[in-house]
């Protein structure tokens, strides 16, 4: 029997660089209110959102990801040709195949890097980060590019009062590479598929595979209705506040980090009330910097954590070497939490 030679990777992995891209168009709540019966005060009090970014025709999923990735690669101080794998988390790239990651890898100038997409909703960045860490330590890639990118404006029902104000567009990326000391903690992740109906796409794609156009779903104006993301707000809120705080604590415990030793908390930017409730439940000290990027970026799903990370570092609210707890949670329902050292 042949003896398989063991892989040789790095002893540990770390985030070496981060980059973000927000579309040029800034959309205030007043634009959302043109289609729903609500108020700016209600939107701010329920979600914390004041503005969000919506992508224009040229700001495709690939284009935004390439912009964010270029910044992350430069921040890491490496060349694109050194990237051994590209992982893209997205739910808003509408071509079933090929993976948009392959296009991104080519346009960035990687040397035929492995490239694939994953679909893990708002936990997608944490899933991608975990896969990247494994690649670096196992030795299948020295540097891995992890991208979270969404054009959720394409999946927003502007007439749905419960979700019309939530979603934004953008891309965030990090480069994961070798480290001589632990800088990405154990991941606490999982899924609760029995709650899958709480966040979902309203209309499955196969509904559009019909011979008779009149059988397609129509809106109140008689136009063909495009799928959108819908959610049961209260059920998601309760799950995120109570269950995800437990997961976050488990990630701290797994990393051997106490709340007092934490510098930064970067949760998925779903709702300011969820974020504030988690801070309270975790009993985070006042010195911990908390990301609340949702106020001006909205909920960008898989892109929200790297975008929030990039902004905290750019504004000086967080600094290189800080210890940060990150947690993503959303459609599936899926979740992923870990403790990292900021680049």
């Amino acid at each position: 029997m042949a003896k398989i030679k063991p892989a040789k990777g790095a002893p540990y992995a770390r985030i070496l660089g981060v980059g973000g891209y927000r579309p040029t168009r800034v959309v205030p709540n007043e634009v959302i209110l043109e289609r729903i019966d609500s108020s700016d005060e209600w939107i701010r009090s329920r979600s914390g959102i004041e503005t969000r970014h919506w992508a224009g025709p040229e700001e495709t999923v690939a284009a935004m990801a390439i912009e964010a990735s270029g910044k992350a690669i430069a921040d890491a101080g490496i060349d694109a040709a050194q990237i051994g794998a590209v992982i893209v988390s997205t739910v808003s790239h509408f071509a079933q195949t090929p993976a948009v990651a392959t296009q991104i890898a080519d346009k960035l100038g990687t040397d035929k890097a492995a490239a694939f997409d994953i679909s893990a909703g708002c936990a997608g960045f944490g899933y991608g980060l975990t896969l990247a860490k494994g690649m670096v330590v196992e030795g299948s890639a020295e540097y891995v590019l992890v991208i979270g990118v969404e054009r959720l404006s394409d999946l927003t029902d502007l007439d749905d009062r419960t979700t019309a104000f939530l979603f934004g567009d953008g891309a965030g990326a990090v480069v994961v590479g070798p480290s001589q000391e632990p800088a990405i903690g154990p991941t606490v992740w999982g899924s609760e598929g029995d709650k899958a109906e709480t966040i979902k796409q309203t209309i499955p794609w196969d509904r559009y595979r019909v011979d008779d156009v009149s059988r397609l779903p129509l809106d109140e104006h008689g136009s063909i209705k495009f799928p959108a993301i819908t959610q049961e707000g209260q059920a998601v809120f309760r799950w995120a506040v109570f269950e995800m705080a437990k997961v976050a604590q488990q990630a701290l415990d797994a990393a051997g980090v106490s709340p007092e030793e934490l510098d930064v908390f970067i949760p998925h930017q779903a709702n300011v009330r969820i974020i504030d409730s988690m801070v309270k439940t975790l009993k985070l000290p006042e010195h911990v910097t908390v990301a609340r990027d949702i106020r001006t970026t909205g909920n960008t799903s898989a892109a929200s954590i790297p975008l929030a990370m990039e902004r905290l570092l750019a504004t000086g609210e967080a600094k290189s070497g800080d210890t940060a707890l990150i947690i993503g949670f959303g459609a599936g329902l899926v979740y992923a939490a870990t403790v990292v050292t900021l680049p």
Side-chain angles (χ1 to χ4, degrees):
M1 184 172 63
K3 190 173 183 179
I4 297 175
K5 183 180 179 180
K8 291 183 179 180
Y12 306 103
R14 70 184 304 119
I15 299 174
L16 299 173
V18 60
Y21 179 82
R22 293 171 175 81
T24 56
R25 183 187 177 192
V26 177
V27 180
N29 288 337
E30 285 72 22
V31 172
I32 306 299
L33 295 172
E34 294 173 3
R35 300 276 291 271
I36 61 172
D37 180 18
S38 188
S39 68
D40 178 63
E41 180 184 5
W42 188 88
I43 293 174
R44 291 182 187 231
S45 65
R46 300 292 291 183
S47 69
I49 299 173
E50 302 167 12
T51 61
R52 75 285 290 147
H53 295 255
W54 282 356
E58 302 302 317
E59 293 169 312
T60 63
V61 164
M64 292 190 293
I66 290 167
E67 288 289 333
S69 298
K71 295 176 184 177
I73 292 169
D75 193 43
I78 66 170
D79 295 322
Q82 293 176 267
I83 298 291
V86 177
I87 304 171
V88 177
S89 179
T90 184
V91 299
S92 48
H93 173 59
F94 294 147
Q96 192 72 33
T97 192
V100 72
T102 59
Q103 177 186 345
I104 294 166
D106 176 63
K107 295 296 184 182
L108 286 171
T110 69
D111 185 15
K112 300 179 181 178
F116 58 95
D117 297 352
I118 60 174
S119 177
C122 304
F125 176 74
Y127 274 52
L129 186 64
T130 303
L131 294 173
K133 172 188 171 183
M135 290 179 182
V136 172
V137 173
E138 186 270 341
S140 59
E142 185 177 11
Y143 299 100
V144 181
L145 180 64
V146 180
I147 307 165
V149 56
E150 301 292 3
R151 270 184 60 120
L152 294 183
S153 58
D154 291 335
L155 287 168
T156 299
D157 182 350
L158 294 177
D159 296 314
D160 181 355
R161 187 176 184 273
T162 62
T163 59
F165 57 90
L166 285 177
F167 302 119
D169 303 336
V174 300
V175 173
V176 177
S179 175
Q180 293 303 308
E181 58 185 29
I184 302 175
T187 300
V188 177
W189 58 351
S191 65
E192 297 186 28
D194 60 318
K195 301 180 181 65
E197 292 296 304
T198 57
I199 305 175
K200 63 180 182 179
Q201 181 175 310
T202 53
I203 306 166
W205 296 116
D206 60 5
R207 282 279 303 279
Y208 295 85
R209 193 178 182 184
V210 295
D211 296 326
D212 184 359
V213 177
S214 66
R215 294 173 57 193
L216 291 172
L218 304 177
D219 63 19
E220 60 185 18
H221 307 293
S223 300
I224 296 174
K225 198 171 182 64
F226 196 73
I229 296 174
T230 186
Q231 69 175 26
E232 298 174 15
Q234 286 302 314
V236 173
F237 181 88
R238 288 192 298 270
W239 176 77
V241 169
F242 296 109
E243 297 303 320
M244 292 305 98
K246 297 176 186 177
V247 171
Q249 183 61 58
Q250 290 170 12
L252 286 173
D253 294 341
V257 175
S258 69
E260 290 71 29
E261 294 174 302
L262 201 62
D263 299 306
V264 185
F265 179 40
I266 311 177
H268 164 51
Q269 303 294 292
N271 183 303
V272 163
R273 292 192 303 149
I274 291 175
I275 294 171
D276 291 344
S277 295
M278 291 180 70
V279 168
K280 184 178 180 180
T281 302
L282 289 167
K283 298 180 180 178
L284 296 184
E286 288 188 9
H287 75 262
V288 176
T289 298
V290 180
R292 295 184 176 87
D293 189 47
I294 189 172
R295 288 173 174 159
T296 56
T297 305
N299 180 344
T300 55
S301 190
S304 78
I305 290 175
L307 276 174
M309 182 186 297
E310 183 263 350
R311 174 160 283 174
L312 289 176
L313 289 167
T315 59
E317 296 173 81
K319 62 183 185 300
S320 176
D322 278 353
T323 301
L325 168 63
I326 65 173
I327 179 169
F329 47 86
L333 294 170
V334 295
Y335 55 87
T338 189
V339 175
V340 304
T341 300
L342 294 183

